[in-house]
Amino acid sequence: MKKLLIVNPGSTSTKVAVYHGLERKFSETISHPAQELQPFASVLDQADYRAGVIDGCLRQAGLDARDMDGVIAIGGLLKPVDSGVYRVNEAMLRDLRSRVYGEHAANLGAVIADRMGRAYGLPAYVGDPITVDEMQPLARVSGHPLLPRYGRTHTLNHKRVARTAAQELGKPYEQCRLVVAHLGGGTSVAAHCGGRMIDSTSSRGEGAFSMDRSGQLNAWELAKLCFSGKYEKAQVLKMLNGQGGVFAYLGTKDFRRVEELRSQGDETASAVFEALAYQAAKEIAAMTAVLSGQVDAIVLTGGVIYSEAFRDLLVRRISYLGRVICKPGEEEMDSLAYYLNSVLTGSLQPKEYQ
């Protein structure tokens, strides 16, 4: 049975886990206080620090990275690629270090995996980079040729819950027609067909609003705001991603706080709570049209789906579309373990990033 080291860096924490095959044996979420990250000028400058923290965490748990058979991490902002497992190589590291496709905490994944792989003699991989793009050509037409649509979703979790939903349906994932909605800090909805996400809403700039992202806004009014002279570019980008959505209305990024305010009779919180479900339902219904209404199931996932009140509100709006399968939370670590185990046992061929 293969021993797998899984690494998933976030903006203020790093998740680390050890699996034996597909069974999780150890898991820890390491928090990184702001004062510890402050000295680093860029995200990638944190790589040595985070790798050291991971080593310490493993040693404290009585684990030795040298005993592992391989290491895998979430993929960062790379060029658009197909879903799957990619061997960490120099082309990948070069693109991440140059930040040619942007800066993101997930960019640390490949760098940390590479460093740990070199230190302990382990093959290093990433799974489903953030920039996985499997959209069909028709879905790329946006309304203006200068702004084509592109795929950017919570691919790791999308693919994982889609596969487990397919198992419940008794069909191979590649033969299923699914609409998957990830509802968490960000929101993304995708139509899965033939084992690919043939259309999807980007979690940044499209679709329903979420905890700190504004989603799709009126482009006409947004353009006027941008050129009003009241805001700098950085301020507008923050309005769209980081300080938009629920945060802009209620000043919180914690969905539990939204529920608490709603239960106390806060009218704005109640309206935002219901609007989250309302907009998500619209996006889900739109994706069923991509599949011509031939849908095996709608899969709801992400942290917001833990809320029974929200889940019930959303399901009431979409149940007419077909079977609804709920998978609260996210299964990114399980998804990475599945990918690494499949590569190490020879059932899946890793891809080369060019």
Side-chain angles (χ1 to χ4, degrees), residues 31-322:
S31 295
H32 306 301
Q35 61 269 26
E36 292 185 12
L37 298 181
Q38 189 174 8
F40 300 107
S42 71
V43 168
L44 286 186
D45 289 341
Q46 301 170 18
D48 285 336
Y49 158 75
R50 294 217 197 192
V53 171
I54 292 170
D55 272 333
C57 176
L58 293 173
R59 285 196 301 271
Q60 189 173 1
L63 298 166
D64 191 335
R66 290 172 293 189
D67 294 334
M68 303 298 135
D69 292 298
V71 57
I72 191 170
I74 187 172
L77 297 179
L78 299 166
K79 71 176 185 179
V81 294
D82 280 348
S83 172
V85 184
Y86 289 81
R87 197 187 318 273
V88 177
N89 61 20
E90 284 305 314
M92 179 184 296
L93 294 171
R94 183 175 60 249
D95 281 357
L96 292 171
R97 288 171 181 145
S98 67
R99 293 177 287 183
V100 63
Y101 298 106
E103 188 166 45
H104 193 283
N107 289 8
L108 282 163
V111 177
I112 293 173
D114 179 66
R115 294 189 184 194
M116 299 195 78
R118 292 178 185 274
Y120 301 113
L122 309 176
Y125 305 92
V126 297
D128 282 340
I130 293 174
T131 46
V132 165
D133 186 347
E134 301 178 325
M135 285 173 60
Q136 60 185 346
L138 183 62
R140 299 188 186 279
V141 181
S142 66
H144 197 287
L146 292 180
L147 297 169
R149 297 184 67 238
Y150 56 88
R152 180 172 170 157
T153 65
H154 302 85
T155 308
L156 260 179
N157 195 44
H158 265 262
K159 292 286 186 174
R160 174 67 182 181
V161 299
R163 288 190 178 93
T164 56
Q167 290 176 353
E168 291 186 29
L169 295 168
K171 299 172 64 174
Y173 166 58
E174 291 76 14
Q175 294 179 16
C176 287
R177 300 169 69 88
L178 305 168
V179 173
V180 178
H182 177 107
L183 306 168
T187 292
S188 59
V189 183
H192 294 240
C193 182
R196 297 174 67 83
M197 298 185 298
I198 62 172
D199 198 351
S200 61
T201 61
S202 169
S203 60
R204 186 183 65 177
E206 285 189 332
F209 72 94
S210 60
M211 298 309 298
D212 65 357
R213 304 171 201 182
S214 296
Q216 186 168 330
L217 301 174
N218 184 308
W220 187 268
E221 297 301 326
L222 178 60
K224 290 196 294 183
L225 181 145
C226 289
F227 290 95
S228 66
K230 297 179 180 179
Y231 305 98
E232 299 292 332
K233 176 183 176 180
Q235 291 176 293
V236 174
L237 291 176
K238 279 289 186 183
M239 290 179 193
L240 300 179
N241 187 5
Q243 295 178 1
V246 173
F247 180 80
Y249 286 100
L250 300 174
T252 182
K253 300 182 183 183
D254 188 338
F255 188 73
R256 293 167 296 184
R257 178 58 178 160
V258 179
E259 288 193 288
E260 181 183 354
L261 290 171
R262 180 173 179 256
S263 69
Q264 294 170 356
D266 187 301
E267 293 184 1
T268 302
S270 295
V272 168
F273 184 93
E274 294 190 21
L276 276 169
Y278 177 81
Q279 288 198 10
K282 287 203 299 182
E283 297 300 328
I284 290 167
M287 285 300 170
T288 66
V290 172
L291 299 174
S292 301
Q294 299 173 31
V295 181
D296 293 307
I298 297 161
V299 187
L300 305 179
T301 185
V304 173
I305 301 302
Y306 279 119
S307 167
E308 183 177 352
F310 182 88
R311 188 171 65 242
D312 290 348
L313 187 62
L314 177 55
V315 170
R316 282 203 300 272
R317 287 193 177 275
I318 63 173
S319 58
Y320 75 96
L321 295 169

